[in-house]
Amino acid sequence: MTVLASAVVAVGTVSGVVSASSGETERTTAVPEVTRSPVMPPLPAVPSPSATTASPTPTATATATKKPVAKKPPKQKQPPRQQSAPVSGSLYLHPDSQVLDWVRANRGDPRRALIQSRIAAQPAAVWFAEYNPSTIASKVRAVTSGAAAAGRVPVVVPYAIPERDCGGASQGGAPDFDAYDGWIRNFASGLGKGDVIVILEPDSMAQTDCLDDSQRANRFAALSRAGKAVHAANPNARVYFDAGHSGWHAPEKMAGQLRQANVATSGDGIFTNVSNFHRTADEVAYARQVLAAVGGPSSLGAVIDTSRNGNGAPAAGEWCDPEGRALGRPPTTRTGESRIDAYLWVKLPGESDGCKGAAGSFTPDYAMDLATG
């Protein structure tokens, strides 16, 4: 399994693909067009409550008349966070993407009309794959403010978790978790106050076999903080955590990891099938199994990437622009399925995995294959 096929707009381009294999350890990744982010001084960590300082040990000169230290009242348990309501508005089509660039530049191409109507006209996710703490807020704000002006709901993908892609082809991200905490806070500050769907770090939960127990715990804690940071900045944001896909890990395994990341209090649900090909019906069943294994609350939902799953998954091991695939269901927040909040195009169809075109590039022949498949 791998992660993304590419950023949808030029806010940070990254490449990779999802293996359709059902094995838990098999993974293949396309050659990327990015390099590892440069090592930068870590940003300040998220302040945490100071530990209670113990009272100094009484000295021999202390007297019996000294007033006793008053005990602090017991800390009140915080009520669970109110889950955001599922969005129901129309999804946002961002005006900048590789497919739109191609459509504008190729008005005489006979493939243009079909690609424009079937792919370019569909709302898709906007990826933020560059570790850019000083500019990320303004880049996110440009997308969310455009969506707000249009009365639409944007789908945004923060993708800068440390040790991204386990050092593979889509490697990069923040240099450490302190830096990531700062980056995600800045990301969240650009979200505005309107409805927005956040696909939090594809592959960050399902692809952790390269990490040891301590590293996994640190990652899950960082994702939990990320969800909280997004909600603190925008209570109307819907944050979805990675749950892999139906051909990867067992639902119980993913649910256990999601609990460690506090999805019930830091998120609003899960996402599946990002950049993959598994049929929608299989993903709906799998998502419900994961949610049931998480154990609640009942308001947790799921979103499914349907961008390339019209014909289901290819044979095991075929992951790079496989033949015979097709577009899936159009993006919508009206699925008609309980606990399935949306079908989304997280991976933009036509952006190559690295075989029919350069990894991450829009490839019109591949787009036509998907549009006519």
Side-chain angles (χ1 to χ4, degrees), residues 91 117-119 121-124 273 276-285 288 303-312 325-338 340-349 370-371:
L91 296 169
S117 63
R118 300 215 58 196
I119 297 177
Q122 297 294 342
N273 209 42
N276 216 300
F277 305 92
H278 293 272
R279 292 186 184 276
T280 301
D282 294 336
E283 292 304 298
V284 168
R288 287 173 176 162
V303 297
I304 297 168
D305 187 351
T306 60
S307 60
R308 304 192 294 178
N309 72 344
N311 288 339
R325 302 311 98 204
L327 301 175
R329 299 189 185 192
T332 182
T333 59
R334 299 173 177 87
T335 68
E337 296 279 357
S338 64
I340 307 302
D341 295 342
Y343 300 136
L344 305 175
W345 283 13
V346 182
K347 156 74 170 179
L348 186 63
L370 293 169

Side-chain angles (χ1 to χ4, degrees), residues 6 12 34 83 113 163 195 199 226 229 265 272 274 277 281 290 303 305 311 363 369:
S6 67
V34 295
Q83 299 288 315
E163 294 300 322
D195 286 342
I199 306 299
T265 55
T272 78
V274 166
F277 305 92
V290 173
V303 297
D305 187 351
N311 288 339
T363 308
D369 288 346

Side-chain angles (χ1 to χ4, degrees), residues 24-299:
E24 288 201 2
T25 59
E26 182 175 348
R27 184 178 188 279
T28 313
T29 312
V31 178
E33 293 182 324
V34 295
T35 57
R36 179 179 293 276
S37 298
V39 176
M40 301 179 66
L43 300 177
V46 178
S48 56
S50 302
T52 302
T53 305
S55 299
T57 303
T59 63
T61 58
T63 66
T65 59
K66 186 175 181 179
K67 294 182 179 180
V69 177
K71 292 184 178 180
K72 294 182 179 180
K75 188 176 181 180
Q76 296 295 318
K77 185 177 180 181
Q78 294 296 317
R81 184 185 67 83
Q82 183 67 38
Q83 299 288 315
S84 305
V87 301
S88 59
S90 298
L91 296 169
Y92 179 54
L93 172 61
H94 192 269
D96 295 323
S97 69
Q98 291 188 78
V99 63
L100 286 169
D101 288 344
W102 184 88
V103 165
R104 293 172 187 132
N106 293 273
R107 296 187 180 278
D109 194 298
R111 299 167 295 184
R112 180 179 182 272
L114 188 60
I115 289 175
Q116 181 179 28
S117 63
R118 300 215 58 196
I119 297 177
Q122 297 294 342
V126 182
W127 293 75
F128 298 86
E130 180 185 358
Y131 175 70
N132 50 349
S134 63
T135 59
I136 183 62
S138 62
K139 289 181 180 294
V140 174
R141 190 174 298 112
V143 175
T144 57
S145 62
R152 300 298 179 96
V153 180
V155 179
V156 294
V157 186
Y159 187 59
I161 197 76
E163 294 300 322
R164 186 176 68 197
D165 197 30
C166 288
S170 294
Q171 64 184 295
D176 55 50
F177 286 114
D178 283 349
Y180 180 73
D181 286 345
W183 183 88
I184 200 71
R185 289 198 305 272
N186 292 347
F187 172 93
S189 71
L191 291 175
K193 299 300 181 182
D195 286 342
V196 58
I197 294 173
V198 179
I199 306 299
L200 182 63
E201 300 289 345
D203 275 3
S204 59
M205 303 287 297
Q207 188 196 2
T208 57
D209 289 342
C210 63
L211 307 177
D212 61 30
D213 289 344
S214 176
Q215 291 171 322
R216 274 192 289 271
N218 289 337
R219 175 175 287 193
F220 297 157
L223 291 167
S224 177
R225 293 193 299 271
K228 288 181 170 66
V230 168
H231 285 126
N234 180 357
N236 292 313
R238 293 281 294 182
V239 183
Y240 294 90
F241 281 51
D242 175 38
H245 60 75
S246 60
W248 200 350
H249 298 303
E252 293 76 14
K253 177 176 180 177
M254 285 312 309
Q257 295 185 350
L258 288 159
R259 285 194 296 270
Q260 291 181 64
N262 300 314
V263 67
T265 55
S266 295
D268 298 283
I270 61 174
F271 62 83
T272 78
N273 209 42
V274 166
S275 297
N276 216 300
F277 305 92
H278 293 272
R279 292 186 184 276
T280 301
D282 294 336
E283 292 304 298
V284 168
Y286 170 73
R288 287 173 176 162
Q289 289 171 340
V290 173
L291 291 171
V294 167
S298 61
S299 56

